């Protein structure tokens, strides 16, 4: 009589290999998600440090915005708009949006005839003229 084989069938081997592959893919996906979450946390912390730095020197930042908006160049407009977005966030956190809104409206009034600057302000959601 032949001894009974205790090995696995081809189907069982394939199923085991598929399960291992699925486990590896799931582990890779978890690692990617953890890395993404870590990067997001690092970016959020860096942004918070940036805002703290700007909050400690708001007057200088407003002066920088003033200088950047004097030039009719896209790069400077983009920089000024980003600074204004940051100042807006600081004003929101400090519950001082009224003063911020007044300053932005004054900028808009002064540079009303610069459509590309106004467009950037609009896209950034900055306060509009009434």
């Amino acid at each position: 009589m032949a001894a009974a084989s205790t090995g696995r069938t081809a189907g069982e081997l394939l199923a085991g290999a598929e399960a291992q592959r699925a486990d590896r893919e799931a582990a890779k996906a978890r690692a990617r998600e953890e890395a993404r979450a870590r990067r997001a946390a690092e970016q959020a912390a860096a942004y918070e440090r940036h805002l703290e730095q700007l909050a400690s020197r708001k007057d200088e930042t407003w002066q920088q915005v003033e200088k950047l908006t004097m030039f009719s160049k896209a790069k400077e407009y983009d920089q000024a708009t980003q600074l204004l977005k940051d100042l807006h966030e600081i004003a929101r956190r400090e519950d001082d949006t009224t003063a911020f809104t007044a300053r932005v409206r004054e900028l808009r009034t002064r540079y009303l005839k610069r459509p590309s600057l106004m467009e950037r302000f609009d896209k950034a959601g900055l306060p509009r003229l009434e």
Side-chain angles (χ1 to χ4, degrees), residues 32-49:
R32 281 192 304 270
E33 178 56 28
E34 288 169 1
R36 187 209 56 77
R38 194 171 33 259
R39 281 190 307 274
E42 289 168 359
Q43 288 173 344
Y47 185 63
E48 288 301 318
R49 287 189 302 274

Side-chain angles (χ1 to χ4, degrees), residues 45-110:
Y47 185 63
E48 288 301 318
R49 287 189 302 274
H50 171 71
L51 289 180
E52 287 173 13
Q53 179 188 23
L54 285 183
S56 69
R57 52 184 195 85
K58 282 188 281 191
D59 290 336
E60 293 90 352
T61 304
W62 276 105
Q63 289 172 5
Q64 188 176 1
V65 168
E66 293 281 347
K67 288 177 186 174
L68 289 167
T69 53
M70 288 202 280
F71 303 103
S72 294
K73 296 182 180 176
K75 181 179 176 183
E76 283 79 0
Y77 284 176
D78 290 340
Q79 291 171 340
T81 302
Q82 184 58 54
L83 286 173
L84 286 171
K85 286 170 56 177
D86 295 342
L87 286 167
H88 188 232
E89 178 59 22
I90 292 167
R92 189 190 62 75
R93 291 176 180 195
E94 294 176 353
D95 198 26
D96 190 24
T97 56
T98 303
F100 173 82
T101 298
R103 288 187 87 163
V104 170
R105 286 182 175 157
E106 191 275 322
L107 274 173
R108 281 185 177 270
T109 300
R110 191 173 337 137

